């Protein structure tokens, strides 16, 4: 019978202390990286809302070119999807296929502030009007 050759010190596995050091290093790295990665979905939702608002603003500008005015606040954004009463030059098929909801599932808000200025906004993640402290609304008025 042949006996197995004795293992040299170089062929041994990792010691418990070496494994513990690696686990501690991985834990420290995870503690630094995870918070940065976890905030990305919120940033992506804000960017998506800004893109939706830009698309709605483009549709509103086309509406204004055809009708010489923006929809009234009472007509709202629905005027981009279905023809409001009394509007003659409405584009067949509408200006938007459908009205999107913001990334948090709420409807975008619309207000006609003057003949030349409208505002579109999302109420943000909390779904309510912002106060001076939270200020989380995403609006066509600011980037």
């Amino acid at each position: 019978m042949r006996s197995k050759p004795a293992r040299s010190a170089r062929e041994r596995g990792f010691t418990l202390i070496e494994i513990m050091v690696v686990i501690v290093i991985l834990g420290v790295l995870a503690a630094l990286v995870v918070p940065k990665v976890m905030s990305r979905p919120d940033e992506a939702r804000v960017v998506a809302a800004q893109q939706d608002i830009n698309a709605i603003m483009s549709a509103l500008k086309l509406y204004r070119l055809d009708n010489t005015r923006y929809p009234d606040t009472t007509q709202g954004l629905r005027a981009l999807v279905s023809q409001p009463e009394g509007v003659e030059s409405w584009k067949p098929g509408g200006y938007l296929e459908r009205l999107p909801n913001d990334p948090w599932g709420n409807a975008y808000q619309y207000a006609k502030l003057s003949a030349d200025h409208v505002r579109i906004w999302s109420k943000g993640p909390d779904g309510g009007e912002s106060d001076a402290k939270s200020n989380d609304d995403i609006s066509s008025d600011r980037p």
Side-chain angles (χ1 to χ4, degrees):
M1 267 188 155
R2 260 178 142 171
S3 64
K4 292 184 181 179
R7 290 184 160 188
S8 68
R10 291 182 126 186
E11 293 181 43
R12 288 191 357 216
F14 295 107
T15 65
L16 181 60
I17 292 177
E18 290 170 331
I19 293 173
M20 296 285 286
V21 168
V22 169
I23 290 174
V24 168
I25 290 171
L26 290 175
V28 169
L29 288 174
L32 295 173
V33 171
V34 168
K36 293 182 188 279
V37 172
M38 294 305 288
S39 69
R40 295 291 179 189
D42 293 333
E43 291 175 20
R45 286 185 183 106
V46 169
V47 169
Q50 289 169 338
Q51 290 174 343
D52 284 348
I53 288 171
N54 289 338
I56 294 169
M57 282 300 293
S58 295
L60 281 167
K61 288 175 183 175
L62 290 173
Y63 180 97
R64 183 176 181 209
L65 282 173
D66 289 346
N67 298 290
T68 68
R69 63 181 179 82
Y70 287 117
D72 294 333
T73 300
T74 55
Q75 293 171 327
L77 296 175
R78 294 286 312 134
L80 300 174
V81 178
S82 59
Q83 184 173 3
E85 288 185 33
V87 175
E88 302 286 327
S89 301
W90 196 76
K91 176 184 161 191
Y95 298 89
L96 289 175
E97 187 176 313
R98 64 176 180 78
L99 285 177
N101 284 333
D102 69 12
W104 299 276
N106 302 312
Y108 284 101
Q109 307 298 304
Y110 169 80
K112 181 178 179 183
L113 304 175
S114 68
D116 297 330
H117 188 199
V118 294
R119 180 174 184 247
I120 303 167
W121 72 97
S122 163
K123 293 182 179 181
D126 65 359
E129 296 297 329
S130 286
D131 56 13
K133 291 179 184 174
S134 67
N135 200 20
D136 63 351
D137 291 356
I138 296 104
S139 171
S140 59
D141 290 342
R142 64 181 177 138

